[in-house]
Amino acid sequence: MLDDTLLDDQRRLADADTDDLLRAAARAGAQVRATAEAAAELGVDRVMRERPRALVLITRPGVGPAVANLVTALLGPRCPVPVVVSDEAPGWVGALDVVLAHTEDPGDHVLAESVDLAGRRGARVLLTAEPDGPVAASAARHALLVPPRVPVPQGFGFVRVFAAWASALSALGLLEVDLTQVADELDREAERDHPVHESFVNPAKSLALRVAERTPLLWGLDDMATAVAGHGAGVLARHAGLVCDVAPHRQAITRTALHRRAVQGTSGADIFADPDEEPGGQVRVLLLAVRRGQQAEQAKLAAVRSLVGADVLEPAEEVSGGDAVCSALLALRFELASLYLGLAAGTLGGPGRYASAV
């Protein structure tokens, strides 16, 4: 049962957030700064100076796959080196390659073996993980280990991993990311989404209410937006128990029945339709856009033309900054929205259900 009055009642919201998760998510900017500092102290610029034969992104359960998808999208098809995403080190990894890896499990033996293998073969390895356990031990002689410096619960390390990997990619000359600007915009987004701001002026609370008791269709208008949509679906499932559909808009069009439902749901043609009679319940279409430019604008206009009432989440209209900044901002907004929704629906924190404010 969704208690939307909870979102604008600061006292009840604080009481419900027993694990202080909203504050943890709001530390995204601090995570980026601390990670950038740690990477500089480790000498990432010096170690990652030469361009590799191949870039290997090792992802384990957690936020790693979403970060890998975003990094791959930011690098794009014009990346001068092949990018391989895998859950363990490929058998051919060697001294000419660079490996970026992440895990939230310090006892992840699969990753520990992968890091050890890549390191023994001379590959340059950067690892984001806890400072203790088998994974950290495997990195002791063979890898640059970037441990978390800003304590947050598991599941809130998306921006930390992104910052560490972006530092390496910048040193390699493959991707230019201004992490200081990323951190500043994340701080501003956290302020906009602060619990003190009411729902009608709080982007995260507004997003939470828009997807509440709906099936969100998170359709990306570009590869980076689709990657962030995957992260958004993950945090909505984790904190709010919400099931989402994630797809590039071009792919969503080919799924005829679902796309027809999306068109009908955004047309507003029948305002008296009974949502309980819809198979699978009502849907909420969210079109996500990160990339700017004429081609991106044409894609957005085409999508909006067929989905007239769809919500368009386009951070570039709100902030200055490049694709990396907008992607990180949108990821944080989804994290905070999922927490607000989880608290209001009783899927995390508190007793599980809240009485009406009146």
Side-chain angles (χ1 to χ4, degrees):
M1 298 293 294
L2 178 71
D3 182 3
D4 55 2
T5 64
L6 178 77
L7 296 182
D8 292 331
D9 188 325
Q10 292 182 53
R11 182 185 61 79
R12 294 172 65 223
L13 191 60
D15 290 342
D17 190 10
T18 56
D19 295 323
D20 217 8
L21 297 180
L22 289 171
R23 185 184 298 272
R27 291 173 181 163
Q31 286 197 71
V32 171
R33 292 189 187 88
T35 302
E37 291 174 1
E41 293 171 9
L42 286 170
V44 169
D45 287 344
R46 173 179 50 82
V47 175
M48 300 292 181
R49 189 164 44 198
E50 298 178 2
R51 184 168 292 178
R53 173 186 64 174
L55 177 66
V56 180
L57 308 178
I58 300 181
T59 61
R60 304 296 295 162
V63 299
V67 178
N69 289 339
L70 177 57
V71 165
T72 303
L74 287 168
L75 290 170
R78 295 185 180 180
C79 181
V81 301
V83 181
V84 177
V85 180
S86 175
D87 59 357
E88 58 184 291
W92 48 260
V93 70
L96 299 178
D97 305 314
V98 165
V99 176
L100 306 181
H102 170 72
T103 185
E104 298 182 26
D105 177 9
D108 188 336
H109 293 284
V110 172
L111 184 57
E113 292 173 1
S114 291
V115 170
D116 182 66
L117 172 65
R120 283 189 289 106
R121 292 189 176 179
R124 289 168 287 169
V125 182
L126 183 140
L127 170 68
T128 51
E130 295 293 332
D132 302 308
V135 175
S138 70
R141 291 175 298 176
H142 305 306
L144 298 175
L145 175 62
V146 184
R149 289 188 169 183
V150 177
V152 293
Q154 282 195 357
F156 291 90
F158 181 92
V159 294
R160 173 172 67 89
V161 182
F162 176 71
W165 289 14
S167 296
L169 295 172
S170 295
L172 292 168
L174 299 177
L175 183 66
E176 292 186 11
V177 178
D178 186 343
L179 290 178
T180 299
Q181 187 179 23
V182 172
D184 290 344
E185 287 298 346
L186 289 176
D187 284 344
R188 283 189 274 270
E189 177 64 18
E191 171 56 31
R192 285 189 290 267
D193 299 331
H194 194 280
V196 71
H197 300 308
E198 296 183 344
S199 300
F200 64 91
V201 293
N202 186 313
K205 289 182 180 180
S206 177
L207 177 57
L209 292 173
R210 292 293 289 168
V211 301
E213 300 179 340
R214 301 288 190 274
T215 298
L217 308 182
L218 309 181
W219 291 348
L221 299 178
D222 54 72
D223 292 341
M224 289 161 288
T226 304
V228 176
H231 177 63
V235 293
L236 285 169
R238 181 185 183 100
H239 302 304
L242 207 60
V243 177
C244 305
D245 178 68
V246 176
H249 178 254
R250 297 185 304 274
Q251 182 67 23
I253 294 174
T254 68
R255 299 183 295 187
T256 313
L258 183 59
H259 188 261
R260 183 165 54 247
R261 280 192 61 198
V263 172
Q264 292 171 347
T266 58
S267 67
D270 186 0
I271 62 174
F272 300 105
D274 185 356
D276 295 330
E277 293 182 359
E278 293 190 29
Q282 287 184 309
V283 299
R284 176 75 71 196
V285 181
L286 300 178
L287 297 174
L288 281 58
V290 169
R291 182 174 286 123
R292 300 302 298 269
Q294 183 177 0
Q295 187 175 359
E297 189 66 21
Q298 290 174 349
K300 182 180 73 172
L301 291 175
V304 171
R305 198 173 294 122
S306 64
L307 301 164
V308 180
D311 291 357
V312 180
L313 301 184
E314 191 174 14
E317 290 189 342
E318 307 171 37
V319 301
S320 60
D323 295 340
V325 173
C326 293
S327 298
L329 184 152
L330 192 55
L332 176 58
R333 185 170 298 177
F334 269 109
E335 289 183 4
L336 287 164
S338 69
L339 291 174
Y340 281 125
L341 185 56
L343 292 168
T347 54
L348 61 82
R353 183 175 293 183
Y354 305 98
S356 170
V358 294

